[in-house]
Amino acid sequence: MATRTIPTTTEEKGREKRTRFRVSFYDVLTLLVGLLFAGIALWTRLYTLGLPFDRDGYDEGVYWQSLRSMGSGYHLYQQIFYSQPPFFLLSLYPTYMLFGQTLWSARLGVALLSLLGLVGAFLLGYTLRGRLGGLAALLLLVLDPRYVQQSQTLQAETPFIAFSLLSVATAYLWWKHPDGKRGLVYAALAGATLSFSILCKLFGLATLVPISLLFLAHLYRILRQEQATRLLAARSLLLGVAAFLLVSIALLVPFASSFEQLLQGVISFHTAASSAYASTKSGNFPLMRHALLSLLALAALYGATVALLRRDWLVLPLIAWFGTTALLLWQQVPLFSHHLVALSPPLVALAIMSIDSSPLASLRASKQARALFSTYVTVLAVLLLVLLTFNNAVALQHYYPNQVQQSSALPIAVWDVNVERDVQRVTAPNQLVITDAQFLVGLANRDTDPLLVDTSNVRVSTGYLTPQMLITEASKPSVHTVLFYTGRLLRIKNIALFYSWLKQHFHLIQKYYQGKELWTKI
């Protein structure tokens, strides 16, 4: 058996180091193609980013007004009602403040975080399937219609997905290199980004499953070692757990004084929503069906099957990731279409598992049928991924014109502009508005009452919004205007109590149509 010569002189050590870090033509080509894809990704996210309409129909207005309240000095969970973990808005706040406190700057934060998800996709694909796998995963996510749409929308989906992808990617890197400084860095990154994901949106809990499986597999490797070396081998694993706990604590400590309100908003509120909307659960699978029967899902099934036939057991955490995500979506009540983007990362990861990391090298190394089969499987995988890429590109061609058309739909735009101007005319910049049209008030450059940034149907149906709460907030000196617009406020139980009080303390300035009214304080 050939033995490896250990370098003894400084010159020999330097030569080995240069060889180890030599950049090949394929490395340069991968970098150039990756930069091209990154440029496409940036353009697809910045194009039409500032269109002045609510892309998801309601939540953008809630989060925009929440950021405006934070910019005015109010605090999450204390004065500001917030039903998500804290890191989503905290991660957007610097970009929002730095770039002018506008709708565009708020969405820019989401768009930039989405790029981190692309980095995670490339690292995951590269770790599992080499250069071709990294570029394939990157391109699939760059053009994924759901991911692109959510990358332009002020929602928590893209940030939590971005950190989930980074966490799973660094966990796989750690699995392959668990020792030394690299192992410590990868483990710490996996733990920290896992915390970021979960504290953006609780759907990030699904990411715990693949990472936990990799950690357990490494623990099994450790237990098979000699007892004297186990503690040293477990250093990176322990650091990863510690990083997760420390980052989580650091993000939650600032909210210690309002921790009860945080639990109510993040957990109790959603539990109540699940009870109030239990009857809608039967519609979850039909809503998920399109994503589960898509071309991406077909590519993922092919990738998972090929990986299992190759006995590549690293596919198992990815299968578990997909299964857990699908289960959480099926159990989610109420389930909205924008939630389905959570399926994209595990599906993309599974889709690239059919690629052979070095099919040409494998073919040169052996002329046996197994090598030929591996090459043919990879060729078929590439053809399937090319078809999927083309399909995504066509979908994006329709996406942008639809967004522009929706933002300028004449019947809606005319009424919204009129209401926007009226709110701006009757309300001073330092005066607050109570409304069920948060986005519209934001377009008027006005702030809503921080406790009422969210007047959603879910909050109304769960009883978290009452007429007495409206009366209490409207009685504050800072509140000057009440705008009924979307009908959500009118669905509050016993809303007639508030309406009766409103007539005594506010003037009806403008009556539009179908319950749309503008009132100002006497």
Side-chain angles (χ1 to χ4, degrees):
M1 182 175 64
T3 57
R4 180 175 177 270
T5 304
I6 300 177
T8 55
T9 66
T10 304
E11 182 180 350
E12 288 174 341
K13 290 180 180 178
R15 188 182 305 113
E16 183 180 269
K17 187 174 181 181
R18 288 192 299 272
T19 303
R20 189 187 310 162
F21 294 103
R22 182 179 297 166
V23 178
S24 70
F25 166 77
Y26 295 107
D27 292 328
V28 175
L29 182 61
T30 301
L31 177 62
L32 293 176
V33 175
L35 290 175
L36 173 63
F37 290 168
I40 295 172
L42 186 60
W43 180 83
T44 57
R45 279 139 184 83
L46 295 182
Y47 183 61
T48 71
L49 184 64
L51 288 178
F53 81 105
D54 194 336
R55 289 182 185 270
D56 71 351
Y58 183 73
D59 285 349
E60 277 205 302
V62 172
Y63 296 132
W64 186 12
Q65 285 296 339
S66 299
L67 288 169
R68 290 180 68 96
S69 294
M70 290 170 66
S72 298
Y74 296 102
H75 299 284
L76 293 176
Y77 309 112
Q78 292 181 10
Q79 299 97 343
I80 305 172
F81 177 83
Y82 187 48
S83 61
Q84 298 291 349
F87 192 61
F88 166 52
L89 286 184
L90 292 179
S91 64
L92 301 185
Y93 187 68
T95 307
Y96 172 74
M97 296 298 292
L98 185 62
F99 289 92
Q101 304 179 50
T102 63
L103 173 64
W104 185 88
S105 65
R107 287 173 174 167
L108 178 65
V110 176
L112 294 179
L113 287 175
S114 76
L115 299 181
L116 291 179
L118 301 179
V119 174
F122 175 79
L123 288 176
L124 182 58
Y126 184 82
T127 305
L128 293 172
R129 286 296 178 264
R131 299 183 186 90
L132 184 58
L135 292 176
L138 175 59
L139 183 60
L140 287 180
L141 201 61
V142 164
L143 298 180
D144 182 84
R146 285 193 177 91
Y147 193 68
V148 171
Q149 181 179 5
Q150 288 304 308
S151 297
Q152 293 190 310
T153 305
L154 192 53
Q155 279 272 20
E157 267 65 28
T158 295
F160 105 76
I161 285 173
F163 291 119
S164 288
L165 275 166
L166 283 173
S167 184
V168 174
T170 49
Y172 270 101
L173 282 168
W174 164 79
W175 163 260
K176 292 200 168 185
H177 308 282
D179 302 319
K181 292 181 180 179
R182 279 201 299 177
L184 294 174
V185 171
Y186 292 149
L189 286 174
T193 49
L194 175 61
S195 175
F196 291 152
S197 176
I198 295 173
L199 291 180
C200 274
K201 195 175 182 72
L202 290 183
F203 272 134
L205 287 168
T207 317
L208 267 173
V209 175
I211 293 176
S212 296
L213 289 176
L214 291 173
F215 271 47
L216 288 173
H218 183 61
L219 186 61
Y220 176 72
R221 287 194 301 196
I222 292 173
L223 293 176
R224 296 182 65 186
Q225 297 180 12
E226 295 181 4
Q227 189 169 359
T229 63
R230 288 176 183 175
L231 183 60
L232 182 63
R235 283 190 314 165
S236 59
L237 189 151
L238 295 173
L239 180 61
V241 174
F244 171 76
L245 294 176
L246 290 174
V247 170
S248 299
I249 291 170
L251 291 175
L252 293 174
V253 161
F255 305 98
S257 61
S258 55
F259 197 69
E260 184 178 351
Q261 294 94 315
L262 186 154
L263 290 178
Q264 287 181 354
V266 177
I267 298 177
S268 302
F269 175 70
H270 292 281
T271 303
S274 296
S275 299
Y277 285 86
S279 61
T280 67
K281 186 179 177 181
S282 59
N284 283 8
F285 185 74
L287 185 61
M288 296 171 60
R289 185 184 298 139
H290 179 70
L292 296 176
L293 298 178
S294 64
L295 190 57
L296 177 59
L298 175 62
L301 178 62
Y302 178 70
T305 303
V306 169
L308 290 173
L309 289 174
R310 287 173 175 163
R311 297 184 181 181
D312 185 352
W313 306 125
L314 287 179
V315 75
L316 294 179
L318 300 179
I319 294 174
W321 186 18
F322 165 74
T324 306
T325 303
L327 180 61
L328 286 178
L329 289 172
W330 180 59
Q331 293 289 336
Q332 172 69 21
V333 177
L335 179 68
F336 298 109
S337 59
H338 63 259
H339 291 146
L340 299 182
V341 70
L343 291 170
S344 291
L347 287 177
V348 166
L350 288 170
I352 59 100
M353 290 301 289
S354 56
I355 297 174
D356 190 336
S357 58
S358 54
L360 295 180
S362 130
L363 185 59
R364 285 195 298 267
S366 173
K367 296 294 184 181
Q368 295 177 356
R370 187 174 180 179
L372 288 169
F373 173 76
S374 178
T375 303
Y376 293 148
V377 164
T378 298
V379 170
L380 180 58
V382 170
L383 291 175
L384 184 58
L385 295 180
V386 168
L387 177 62
L388 178 56
T389 300
F390 176 78
N391 183 70
N392 288 345
V394 171
L396 287 181
Q397 280 189 323
H398 295 291
Y399 165 72
Y400 292 109
N402 288 340
Q403 295 290 288
V404 173
Q405 182 180 4
Q406 190 172 347
S407 70
S408 58
L410 190 58
I412 298 175
V414 170
W415 280 107
D416 285 357
V417 168
N418 289 340
V419 179
E420 174 191 333
R421 289 173 180 170
D422 289 342
V423 171
Q424 198 168 46
R425 175 175 54 84
V426 302
T427 310
N430 62 337
Q431 294 175 328
L432 301 179
V433 181
I434 291 177
T435 185
D436 49 16
Q438 286 78 3
F439 191 89
L440 194 55
V441 172
L443 290 178
N445 198 28
R446 296 295 183 264
D447 297 332
T448 61
D449 181 88
L451 189 62
L452 301 176
V453 292
D454 184 353
T455 55
S456 62
N457 288 327
V458 176
R459 193 177 181 191
V460 169
S461 300
T462 55
Y464 272 69
L465 196 55
T466 64
Q468 186 55 51
M469 187 183 298
L470 294 179
I471 292 172
T472 300
E473 295 304 303
S475 300
K476 292 179 178 178
S478 56
V479 174
H480 178 265
T481 305
V482 175
L483 172 65
F484 296 93
Y485 194 77
T486 65
R488 289 180 171 86
L489 288 177
L490 297 177
R491 297 189 187 104
I492 298 175
K493 187 177 181 180
N494 298 324
I495 188 61
L497 295 176
F498 174 67
Y499 204 81
S500 177
W501 179 90
L502 189 69
K503 291 178 179 178
Q504 300 174 34
H505 299 86
F506 282 69
H507 285 301
L508 178 60
I509 296 298
Q510 191 68 257
K511 189 175 181 68
Y512 301 101
Y513 67 103
Q514 297 178 351
K516 303 178 189 296
E517 298 175 352
L518 183 64
W519 297 71
T520 58
K521 186 170 285 184
I522 297 174

